[in-house]
Amino acid sequence: MATVTAPAHQKGDFLVDYEEKVFEDVKAEPGEKALVTFHTVAFEGSIGLVNILQALRLQRKGFETAILLYGPGVTLGVQRGFPKLGDEAFPGAQNFSAQLTKFMAEGGKVYCCRFALQMLYGHGEGALLPGIRPISPLDVLDLILINRRDNAFMLHTWTL
């Protein structure tokens, strides 16, 4: 029978080469834009948080960056907490709020579809995090088309 003779990993060990960067660090040219769209439900996977972090990184690389929350994506932008709004009932419960707030504080824009907010999820505009701009459902496609026309980098996030 095989025997494992390698010592167990210890706290502080490196398991991969985290310093090597294979590709150039791309920065935006003046006037370049990015749009990250979310059609995903909060807390039903990691993609919502991961792509908010991607949007933040695009913003920091110099892209004029916007986030679009539509369909179930609006659930990323509502205020939450327990027992009171803003309270973190468990570690990480405010990740979406914290990262969206940071993104907006650093100049990013966040838009939220009013139709999905009210019709699909029963929230009013007062439920949104401060700084999120509610938009007409007719603006959802136009925002994407405007960014296409402007040759923006677009990252579309969908989960079912």
Side-chain angles (χ1 to χ4, degrees):
M1 184 141 196
T3 304
V4 176
T5 59
H9 297 301
Q10 302 296 316
K11 183 176 180 178
D13 285 352
F14 297 103
L15 301 180
V16 297
D17 180 354
Y18 73 94
E19 291 183 337
E20 179 188 25
K21 182 152 177 15
V22 176
F23 302 104
E24 68 177 290
D25 186 18
V26 176
K27 302 287 185 191
E29 298 291 329
E32 280 191 299
K33 293 181 174 184
L35 175 66
V36 182
T37 68
F38 291 84
H39 193 281
T40 187
V41 180
F43 298 104
E44 289 196 4
S46 62
I47 198 65
L49 180 60
V50 168
N51 280 349
I52 293 171
L53 295 174
Q54 294 286 32
L56 186 58
R57 189 154 184 243
L58 284 162
Q59 181 75 17
R60 290 175 177 173
K61 286 178 164 288
F63 290 87
E64 181 185 319
T65 308
I67 287 174
L68 169 62
L69 306 174
Y70 71 116
V74 302
T75 62
L76 298 168
V78 296
Q79 297 180 62
R80 52 180 33 95
F82 188 84
K84 298 178 297 196
L85 287 178
D87 288 349
E88 192 165 48
F90 56 86
Q94 295 292 350
N95 280 344
F96 303 117
S97 300
Q99 296 306 319
L100 286 170
T101 299
K102 183 188 302 183
F103 174 75
M104 291 184 287
E106 293 186 19
K109 295 182 177 117
V110 181
Y111 300 98
C112 178
C113 175
R114 286 182 168 123
F115 174 82
L117 188 65
Q118 178 177 322
M119 182 63 216
L120 301 181
Y121 294 97
H123 290 291
E125 294 175 12
L128 293 173
L129 294 167
I132 294 181
R133 174 77 162 96
I135 62 172
S136 164
L138 299 176
D139 283 328
V140 169
L141 181 59
D142 286 326
L143 176 60
I144 294 168
L145 291 172
I146 288 166
N147 277 272
R148 177 185 169 270
R149 181 186 62 204
D150 293 345
N151 294 314
F153 170 77
M154 289 192 274
L155 180 61
H156 300 290
T157 302
W158 273 79
T159 55
L160 302 175

